[in-house]
Amino acid sequence: MLPYLLAAWLFLVGLYGVTTSRNFIHLVMCLSVVQSSTYVLILALGYRVNATAPISKDVPLGTRAVDPVAQSLVLTDIVVGVVVTALLLSLALQIHKRTGTLRPDDLHVMEG
Amino acid sequence: MTRRTRLIVFAVGAIGVGAALIWGTAGAPPFGHYRGPYGDVFNRRAVPERHATNVINAITFDYRGIDTVGEEFILFAAVMGVTVLLRRQRDEATPRRGDGDRPPWRPSDAVRIAALTLLAPAVLLGLYIVAHGTLTPGGGFQGGMILGAAPLLVFLAGRTLLHPRRDPMGPLEFGEGLGAGGFVAIGMVGLIATGAFLENVWPLGRIGSIFSGGMLPFINVAVGLEVGAGLVIALYEFREQTLLRGRG
């Protein structure tokens, strides 16, 4: 149960950071925390006690292994997450260039 | 919205989401007791069917390969977004090439030595992880990440990222396109030969050898190229911004 609670906690604490953020770069990092909660949740769902990694290189076929599907999902997600973070950071950079601020609260009106 | 009202709105939502999360995971199998069946089916069948001892790699690039093609294009689109957002604006100066094309700071000797010492092992490790993707933990995504981090070490050492007078974007964009297109092209080979996208048409090879897994090693190389080149493109764009800023 503890890993599930950890995932819920990471999700909520990241979301708290996003809502109360005073800096766009901090906000992007908080979003990464929210995303990492999904990794914890998915990996926890596929975990199995006393089992090996789903790599059958040095173990006999049929050894009890954890769920490989969960790991496959998470690994692509992590890599895509890094690049999406880069995209968000470049948005923050553009906001700073155009408005001279990184405070989300300072941006009131939509500007074209 | 004031901070206070925002916090109240957040608290209401957070309590709701938190309750839903706990309620949802309470019905999940207890931690450490995965019930299957899909993972067990893959664990039993990936080696006989695909001769790939890294079951995760076989799932990522074969069993759910078409899904990974989609994920890869999210990555592709995000890198394109970074390039478009950080393009040089009309009112910004062109960064000078040559000697001026260096970071506007001088790193300490410790950082320089550590970064340059780690460079060759990082490249080698990246290539190893890509090449052995079907055998041991690793694959195109992980290896590409490590390869993409190698130029970051050069940058940390305070050196020019690439040849000072040549624009590196051309080859990098070509590499990224080749990687992304290569994955789809490999899939199309399966589609034309057997009628199913990404269906394996290559000899499966001996289990445990580096060329085992049919088309999986080729896909690992294509994805490694795409991820590595994409990361370097993003890094290069951000570096260009620090140079603009450093010149004021």
Side-chain angles (χ1 to χ4, degrees), chain A residues 3-4 16 19-20 22 47-49 54-56 66-67 69 71-72 76 82 86 93-94 97-98 105, chain B residues 3 6 10 29 32 34 39-40 42-43 47 53-56 60 64 71 85-86 89 92 141 145 238 241:
Chain A
Y4 300 145
Y16 172 79
T19 0
T20 58
R22 289 187 174 86
Y47 184 70
R48 181 178 266 170
V49 284
I55 314 272
S56 47
V66 300
D67 178 18
V69 182
Q71 306 210 351
S72 165
T76 45
V82 168
L93 205 76
Q94 276 297 346
K97 264 194 209 168
R98 295 192 167 268
D105 290 343
Chain B
R3 291 196 85 79
R6 192 188 296 175
F10 170 76
Y34 169 67
D40 294 326
F42 284 127
N43 277 330
V47 178
T53 52
N54 181 355
V55 181
I56 303 161
T60 310
R64 59 171 274 259
E71 295 221 22
L85 277 170
L86 297 185
Q89 308 282 307
E92 283 173 343
F141 277 104
M145 275 307 234
F238 279 107
Q241 297 293 318

Side-chain angles (χ1 to χ4, degrees), chain B residues 69-120:
Chain B
V69 172
E71 295 221 22
E72 199 199 29
F73 275 92
I74 299 177
L75 194 140
F76 191 78
V79 171
M80 211 168 352
V82 171
T83 318
V84 170
L85 277 170
L86 297 185
R87 71 189 182 282
R88 202 167 302 137
Q89 308 282 307
R90 215 167 292 142
D91 48 346
E92 283 173 343
T94 314
R96 270 184 298 122
R97 301 275 162 200
D99 283 346
D101 197 10
R102 295 196 170 203
W105 73 87
R106 199 193 134 76
S108 74
D109 283 343
V111 172
R112 288 163 62 101
I113 290 168
L116 290 177
T117 314
L118 282 172
L119 179 63

